[in-house]
Amino acid sequence: MTRTMPLWPALLILILAGCSDSNDNWHGKDIAGLMPDLEFRLNGTDDGTVTPDDSKGNIRLLYFGFTSCPDVCPTTLSDLRRSIHQMPEEYQDDVITLFVSVDPRRDTPERLASYVNFFGDRILGLTAEEPMLRKLTKRYRTTFGYEEPDASGNYNVSHSSAVYVFDREGNARLLLRPGLSPEQISEDLAQLARESSS
Amino acid sequence: MQVMSNLLPYDFSPLTLLSYMLVLGLYGVALLKMPGHDRPGPGRIVTFTLGVMLCYAVMQTRFDYYSQYMFFVHRGQHLILHHLGPFLIALSNPLPVMRFWYQRISPSVHYWLQPLGWIYRLLQQPVIASVLFVGLIYFWLWPPIHFDAMLSRQLYWVMNWSMLLDGVLFWWLIFDPRAPAMTNALGYGKRILLLALVAIPQMILGAWIVFSRGMVYDVYEVCGRAWPMPPETDQLLGGLLTWIPPAMMSILGILIVLRRAMHEDGKYPQSHSLAGGNP
């Protein structure tokens, strides 16, 4: 009995390590197996329906936001843009950002198009009616909510601040939490691109 | 219409619905069929049903939606699943109902249920029971685990069910209606000690969350809140719900056990030979 005692702490550490992000190779949070693969049916900015098949073979970055977002969304999107620019050149065209607006009342296709164009050409602006968005956000265990509009009709929207990363096959792989630097994001994306480019 | 949609589950789990229907169904049938002198009175029936329905409500109505996206509502959900619901269920003393069904199960099934009995007796060792009771709270609130549990649907269900089942086990140990003087149920002094001991680590955890300067649980930030609320407020409220109500439940439990101990004082002969193996 006493001889096996020293094993317990080691075993405990092993168990606990298995529960947390044990994979140190990623800066983001490894969500493989925790989250379902990429699936949606949303409206693009030019009157067409967009599904994951349209961007198959690419690494997809899914982000929920709204165009009137004061700080979080523009910062995240410009960080993503910088991260992609810092990747090895051969992979830069393999990454597509999917910006899903959870504020369809204000974000018309035109408004969404001009907003995403500001952040480069490999970014798609997407949205849908609220029930559809509710279904999609539920799938990725996130949500959004609206504040009461003020006198001039402006309101804040609560939404996810993380970026979901899907690999070329559409499997959920990483969750980029706020606070990661563009360099770290870039390393993760490059690693993901290398692993599946053949 | 709005009321209806609030009563429907946010994340429908057939297994959960079936389990609740089974529990209420078995309870109801036993009430109808059991002899009158065994049957619990209306107060106890209401207490039992209330406990079960409270747990159901936080798992399979719109409440669950808010629990997934607001930290303080999540703490409220666990307060009910781990404390209030099981507290009421155990307090209602469903023992006659369980006995009723146990007598109707054929001996061969009894044989197969034996391992379950061993696990039950192991989990009801006072030390194991209290470590498990507090340990589960700490486990699911450990930030990396909490993050995963809120991200993964499977883990989320495992978390809620483990809290509920452990809550029932613990409060059943505390409110076991069998008199310790006559059976091998846990002594009242030990029950009071357990209640006091489990309150302390919960208060420490709650206070730690309340006084944390940074964001301890960023998953609610990452996944978006049900409505825009400052993260600090959410965390503060959640911490308070972890800190104060569980401690109050312990105190309430102590008062109830004390009252029972005083009622039974001198009621049973102290002879151990009669008691049937009470150490």
Side-chain angles (χ1 to χ4, degrees), chain A residues 44-64:
Chain A
T45 44
D46 43 6
D47 286 346
T49 310
V50 180
T51 67
D53 281 342
D54 299 319
S55 52
K56 211 173 168 183
N58 288 284
I59 289 170
R60 269 73 53 95
L61 309 179
L62 177 67
Y63 182 62
F64 299 98

Side-chain angles (χ1 to χ4, degrees), chain A residues 29 138 141-143 158 160, chain B residues 10 65 148 151 222-223 225:
Chain A
K29 154 102 188 139
K138 183 177 174 182
R141 311 223 24 109
T142 172
T143 191
S158 64
S160 164
Chain B
Y10 171 65
Y65 167 74
D148 281 15
L151 278 193
V222 167
C223 291
R225 288 193 157 76

Side-chain angles (χ1 to χ4, degrees), chain B residues 47-66:
Chain B
T47 310
F48 179 84
T49 316
L50 186 68
V52 172
M53 288 316 287
L54 268 177
C55 293
Y56 176 81
V58 296
M59 282 171 108
Q60 288 285 277
T61 65
R62 193 76 189 160
F63 192 94
D64 183 48
Y65 167 74
Y66 294 105

Side-chain angles (χ1 to χ4, degrees), chain A residues 16 19-20 29 31 34-35 134 138 141-147 156-162 175 177-178, chain B residues 10-11 65 68-69 139 142 144-145 147-153 155-156 218 221-228:
Chain A
L16 294 179
C19 300
S20 65
K29 154 102 188 139
I31 53 166
L34 282 182
M35 288 234 149
R134 291 271 167 215
K138 183 177 174 182
R141 311 223 24 109
T142 172
T143 191
F144 55 95
Y146 305 113
E147 212 178 48
N156 197 6
V157 181
S158 64
H159 61 92
S160 164
S161 63
L175 188 75
R177 292 194 233 191
Chain B
Y10 171 65
D11 187 4
Y65 167 74
Q68 290 189 27
Y69 300 113
F139 177 78
W142 196 39
I145 299 287
F147 197 93
D148 281 15
M150 298 315 277
L151 278 193
S152 155
R153 187 166 175 237
L155 271 182
Y156 181 77
D218 61 339
E221 195 59 25
V222 167
C223 291
R225 288 193 157 76
W227 67 88

Side-chain angles (χ1 to χ4, degrees), chain A residues 116-186:
Chain A
V116 296
N117 283 341
F118 183 75
F119 297 101
D121 52 0
R122 295 196 60 80
I123 168 165
L124 295 176
L126 305 165
T127 191
E129 299 287 317
E130 198 183 319
M132 195 68 154
L133 292 170
R134 291 271 167 215
K135 241 172 87 181
L136 179 66
T137 49
K138 183 177 174 182
R139 182 175 170 87
Y140 297 105
R141 311 223 24 109
T142 172
T143 191
F144 55 95
Y146 305 113
E147 212 178 48
E148 282 301 312
D150 65 12
S152 45
N154 295 318
Y155 53 90
N156 197 6
V157 181
S158 64
H159 61 92
S160 164
S161 63
V163 179
Y164 299 77
V165 182
F166 297 85
D167 64 16
R168 294 176 201 268
E169 284 78 46
N171 303 311
R173 295 299 299 273
L174 295 173
L175 188 75
L176 306 175
R177 292 194 233 191
L180 289 178
S181 70
E183 289 73 29
Q184 290 172 317
I185 297 176
S186 171

